[in-house]
Amino acid sequence: MRATILAATAFAFAGTLAWGGCDRPPIDRSAGPGGSDLGGNPYADGTEAGAQPGGICGDAPPLDVRARTTDPRVASVLSGLSLAEKVDQMAGPELTPDMFITADNERVGVRGFRFRDGPRGVRLESGTATCFPVAVARAAAWDLDLEYRVGGAIGAETRGLGHNCLLAPTVNVLRHPGWGRAQEAYGEDPWLTGMVGIASTRGIQTRVPACVKHFAANNIEDTRMTNNAVIDEQTLREVYARHFEMIVKEADAACVMAAYNKVNGQYCCENPPLLRDLLKGEWGFDGFVVSDWFAAKSTVESALGGLDVEMPFRANYSGLQLAVSGGQVPQEVIDEAVERILRIKFKFGFALLNEPYVGDPAVVESPAHTSLAREAARKGMVLLKNDGGALPIDAAKDKRIAVVGKWATQARLGDAGSSNVTPGYAVAPYLGIRTRAGSGAQVTTSQDASAAAGADVAVVVVALTQQDEGEAWNGGGDRDSLDLSPDQEQLVRDTAAVAARTVVVIEAGGPITMERWIGDADAIVMAWYPGMEGGRALADVLFGDFDFSGRLVQTWPKRWEDEPAFGNHQAETEMDYWHGYRHFDKTGVEPLFPFGFGLSYSTFSHSNLRIPCGTITPGGLLRVTADVKNTGARAGSEVVQAYVSTPDTTRRRFVKELKGFARVTLSPDETRTVEIPIRIPDLATWDTGTKSWLVEPIRHEVRVGPNARDLPLSGSFVVGPAGKEVAE
Ligand code: BGC
């Protein structure tokens, strides 16, 4: 199984296209990235200089854990463990206040797990760590190199603090914009989530094992403990499992967390079709499966179903020994689980107590990490509206700047659930703006609109709170409306009535509906929850020191009613094929802001799509190119997106799907040819008849442009031995 997958992967990325006499234009290889290869850090970006992971992490050289060898010591340690000791490996202790450990085995000298959340930094009970912008903000940067570096930094802090497994990334797709954990994940698109998840996992695993979560279909928060997600086979494969498959196979994820909910009637922690057949069988996953915290519900069914570790306590698995002696659970099931656990411990170098597990605590909140947090925050911020050049703020002319609203002086970092991180400091918007403006301008603040009266520019900071959205602890949960609170909507209107220009800055994890106030705002910025350096990052882009280069990774609807049913108040939810831009393409409804949308301070034109000629094999890589010109007066960044469709298919397929992108920064008037690699295996649909992925041997249309609803370039190609270029 393993050899087959490796061979297929290598084949896919080697590219087997024959270039038959086609002119290939000079290509900007610093632009990117859309595809990947199997190298160490395949995500060289080229838009802003950034340190490489080794430089950022500072301590030992990055681990190379992609070699799929098993340490010979695994077998000898395994054979020396008693049944009771094996079960100890498979669960948290029975009695401990610490919910994130499994016990050390002093007799044979095997170290236990020291798990830590999570997706925006290391979550600690006491002490501080770098708080990065939330995951959705980083995905909105469309910069895989950035996510690789952030993963490397969080991994290094995890290790520096003495922990040995990071409970991240969260990769459930945003099926509905009301999902409470939208902030923790990478948006609605399975392919993009897969690519960003690969980057994150590879980055984290330069230091510690990554635990990819929550497998599978954990897309509702309010009823997550019990909800039964009903999903047909094609939908499961293409929408809810595809990105997990990509991450498991291409990033060699060490750990997968089984979700709380049920999929097709069986809890994910005791779900043989998901854990045994798909994950461990078909995908060749050689790491271990851990339960979400308190998600395991059974002893025998969980063990047989493929759950290797029960967390946080040994509750169900306290019955494992009896189940083995009673013949309900074969000894081999236990041995397989413990072998998986030991394999990861050895692979990441922390199996043995007599071998020191060393990390560098000095990396925690180091200047390199906090400046990476600032880079990530500003790259992910999305400019949604900018009428009349309301932005950037001109430090020479805008002498009176007001920063208003309750959240102007309080940094919003995100929810209070398991991804919560406590940093040593956090820069609120007002502080960031005041510092950047310097002594040349008068910068004032108020919770209401009083400071805005007569201002040249008023920045209204509006936000969601941890009661509005988030993991369902301490409030949180799903949203029942996408509106801002009425008082914040009123604040926007009040400000617009008294200030010369009104800029609305939103801090939230998901889409906001704004029918009642969009006309009052001259400019609107989606800042997400921007992390501990958020205020400074905001000033970076508001004053135009950097361009806005973030693009939405979620479709923003005009109204809640434009979305499919959420189903977050019922015991069973049908998760059908359509969501996000796929749903809007099908219904024809205009979104407020389409997937991939975001303005720049400059403008761009796109031209000259070229699809290389030659045979296009189902395992190949197609390097399409397009010219991008900066038609504005300032340097700026563009994310060129490629969507692929199969207009002649007779199967149930999406109208189009994102399959490649390139990020590029251009000077005024500059034109560059960017390359967008499209991995042909990514174009496959799930064939329920043969139960396999199928790249249809038919015409594929590629459409290229700045977002899902603005794709001015198109061309097509046929996959198959006789495939040839038919670029238009
Ligand atoms: C969350 C997981 C988290 C775990 C441990 C659960 O409630 O769903 O994402 O890793 O808690 O904190």
Side-chain angles (χ1 to χ4, degrees):
M1 170 60 69
R2 172 64 56 206
T4 317
I5 287 168
L6 262 187
T9 312
F11 179 66
F13 296 118
T16 56
L17 307 183
W19 308 108
C22 304
D23 282 333
R24 303 200 68 210
I27 286 166
D28 171 24
R29 287 188 189 275
S30 70
S36 76
D37 57 23
L38 293 174
N41 175 5
Y43 305 118
D45 170 51
T47 53
E48 269 189 65
Q52 289 305 300
I56 283 177
C57 302
D59 56 354
L63 305 170
D64 181 8
V65 292
R66 284 211 291 282
R68 288 178 179 268
T69 49
T70 297
D71 194 300
R73 291 173 294 180
V74 168
S76 68
V77 170
L78 180 63
S79 64
L81 293 174
S82 68
L83 177 59
E85 287 172 328
K86 288 176 183 169
V87 171
D88 281 348
Q89 293 287 312
M90 292 176 64
E94 266 167 359
L95 293 170
T96 170
D98 190 332
M99 302 216 305
F100 291 90
I101 62 168
T102 62
D104 292 342
N105 182 325
E106 305 281 350
R107 188 184 72 82
V108 292
V110 174
R111 190 177 271 112
F113 283 118
R114 303 282 177 269
F115 295 105
R116 277 290 135 194
D117 287 298
R120 64 179 190 252
V122 188
R123 172 180 168 233
L124 299 165
E125 249 92 74
S126 65
T128 62
T130 304
C131 182
F132 288 91
V134 290
V136 67
R138 291 158 11 219
W142 296 68
D143 183 340
L144 303 180
D145 169 66
L146 174 73
E147 186 60 1
Y148 177 84
R149 288 184 284 130
V150 170
I154 301 176
E157 295 200 8
T158 306
R159 190 172 174 129
L161 289 158
H163 307 288
N164 58 29
C165 186
L166 184 73
L167 304 174
T170 299
V171 299
N172 301 104
V173 292
L174 187 78
R175 176 180 157 268
H176 188 285
W179 184 39
R181 295 179 82 170
Q183 60 190 277
E184 257 184 74
Y186 297 130
E188 73 182 41
D189 187 73
W191 180 83
L192 187 62
T193 296
M195 296 303 286
V196 184
I198 290 167
S200 168
T201 303
R202 285 183 181 176
I204 293 166
Q205 293 197 164
T206 59
R207 304 292 157 178
V208 292
C211 184
V212 183
K213 62 191 189 182
H214 314 80
F215 190 56
N218 186 161
N219 307 84
I220 291 175
E221 187 58 15
D222 288 344
T223 51
R224 66 176 175 165
M225 302 288 177
T226 51
N227 189 272
N228 180 25
V230 179
I231 316 178
D232 69 62
E233 191 184 328
Q234 186 192 2
T235 304
L236 177 68
R237 292 291 187 146
E238 294 183 16
V239 181
Y240 294 101
R242 186 64 187 258
H243 41 295
F244 282 99
E245 179 176 1
M246 290 167 70
I247 298 165
V248 163
K249 287 182 177 173
E250 297 181 45
D252 235 341
C255 172
V256 166
M257 184 184 286
Y260 287 114
N261 52 283
K262 297 176 194 160
V263 168
N264 293 333
Q266 279 167 301
Y267 279 109
C268 290
C269 288
E270 49 186 53
N271 196 318
L274 276 186
L275 302 184
R276 288 226 177 265
D277 302 344
L278 198 58
L279 177 65
K280 294 181 173 179
E282 194 186 311
W283 297 349
F285 171 66
D286 68 356
F288 66 96
V289 178
V290 65
S291 69
D292 199 343
W293 268 225
F294 301 104
K297 299 267 190 300
S298 59
T299 307
V300 174
E301 289 82 354
S302 296
L304 297 180
L307 181 73
D308 301 310
V309 178
E310 179 188 20
M311 289 301 290
F313 305 125
R314 193 179 341 157
N316 298 285
Y317 276 8
S318 60
L320 260 188
Q321 278 195 73
L322 214 56
V324 173
S325 51
Q328 294 154 290
V329 173
Q331 177 68 47
E332 298 76 60
V333 168
I334 306 295
D335 287 350
E336 182 227 301
V338 179
E339 190 185 345
R340 287 174 176 277
I341 293 162
L342 291 173
R343 189 157 55 217
I344 295 305
K345 290 181 176 178
F346 275 104
K347 193 168 174 178
F348 286 83
F350 61 88
L352 300 178
L353 288 168
N354 64 7
E355 290 182 358
Y357 176 65
V358 186
D360 181 1
V363 299
V364 180
E365 291 187 296
S366 62
H369 286 191
T370 54
S371 80
L372 179 61
R374 180 172 174 175
E375 177 192 342
R378 75 167 165 262
K379 279 186 167 175
M381 289 184 188
V382 184
L383 182 60
L384 296 173
K385 178 178 179 183
N386 194 18
D387 278 4
L391 287 174
I393 299 172
D394 185 337
K397 291 196 196 129
D398 293 320
K399 294 295 175 200
R400 292 194 56 200
I401 302 170
V403 190
V404 302
K406 179 176 174 189
W407 304 109
T409 51
Q410 294 178 55
R412 289 286 306 122
L413 300 175
D415 78 339
S418 61
S419 67
N420 192 8
V421 173
T422 308
Y425 66 88
V427 183
Y430 169 65
L431 180 60
I433 291 169
R434 198 189 64 195
T435 307
R436 170 59 182 83
S439 52
Q442 186 194 9
V443 185
T444 52
T445 186
S446 65
Q447 294 213 1
D448 60 16
S450 56
D456 296 313
V457 56
V459 178
V460 190
V461 184
V462 295
L464 297 183
T465 67
Q466 62 200 47
Q467 273 71 43
D468 295 324
E469 64 171 348
E471 194 176 340
W473 302 353
N474 308 322
D478 297 320
R479 294 157 70 194
D480 288 321
S481 156
L482 303 180
D483 293 340
L484 289 175
S485 60
D487 60 317
Q488 297 192 95
E489 290 194 344
Q490 189 57 43
L491 181 65
V492 174
R493 287 190 288 265
D494 291 348
T495 307
V498 296
R501 278 139 60 213
T502 299
V503 176
V504 177
V505 172
I506 305 167
E507 295 184 328
I512 300 290
T513 40
M514 50 182 77
E515 227 173 3
R516 284 189 294 272
W517 57 265
I518 187 169
D520 296 288
D522 298 295
I524 303 173
V525 173
M526 182 57 176
W528 314 101
Y529 297 117
M532 65 190 290
E533 283 285 334
R536 272 193 272 266
L538 182 65
D540 285 341
V541 284
L542 289 185
F543 284 83
D545 300 331
F546 290 84
D547 190 22
F548 276 97
S549 60
R551 303 292 185 263
L552 294 178
V553 290
Q554 311 156 331
T555 304
W556 283 35
K558 287 184 179 151
R559 306 169 314 146
W560 174 280
E561 297 72 38
D562 295 342
E563 292 286 338
F566 193 2
N568 63 328
H569 294 298
Q570 57 208 49
E572 188 163 290
T573 307
E574 194 200 342
M575 301 205 171
D576 76 2
Y577 198 50
W578 312 96
H579 79 289
Y581 67 82
R582 293 158 171 81
H583 164 82
F584 282 81
D585 281 348
K586 178 168 174 264
T587 59
V589 172
E590 271 298 307
L592 175 63
F593 299 114
F595 180 86
F597 178 81
L599 300 171
S600 149
Y601 281 134
S602 197
T603 51
F604 303 91
S605 68
H606 306 76
S607 63
N608 214 4
L609 175 66
R610 296 182 195 86
I611 301 173
C613 44
T615 299
I616 298 169
T617 64
L621 181 73
L622 183 67
R623 298 175 189 277
V624 307
T625 61
D627 295 345
V628 189
K629 180 176 184 191
N630 183 342
T631 51
R634 306 171 55 109
S637 300
E638 175 67 313
V639 177
V640 191
Q641 301 158 36
Y643 295 78
V644 180
S645 50
T646 44
D648 307 324
T649 189
T650 54
R651 295 164 181 269
R652 178 177 69 165
R653 295 202 68 167
F654 303 115
V655 173
K656 63 174 184 285
E657 289 186 273
L658 177 76
K659 293 298 174 190
F661 65 91
R663 191 179 203 281
V664 63
T665 299
L666 300 171
S667 313
D669 271 337
E670 186 184 355
T671 302
R672 266 199 247 173
T673 299
V674 297
E675 180 180 282
I676 309 175
I678 295 176
R679 310 178 331 163
I680 302 299
D682 290 351
L683 309 183
T685 184
W686 182 255
D687 183 78
T688 45
T690 59
K691 301 211 172 298
S692 61
W693 289 107
L694 171 72
V695 179
E696 290 193 84
I698 59 173
R699 185 168 70 93
H700 285 66
E701 191 178 49
V702 189
R703 294 166 64 200
V704 171
N707 66 64
R709 288 276 167 138
D710 183 6
L711 300 169
L713 310 182
S714 70
S716 57
F717 61 91
V718 179
V719 177
K724 68 181 181 64
E725 171 217 10
V726 273
E728 289 149 12

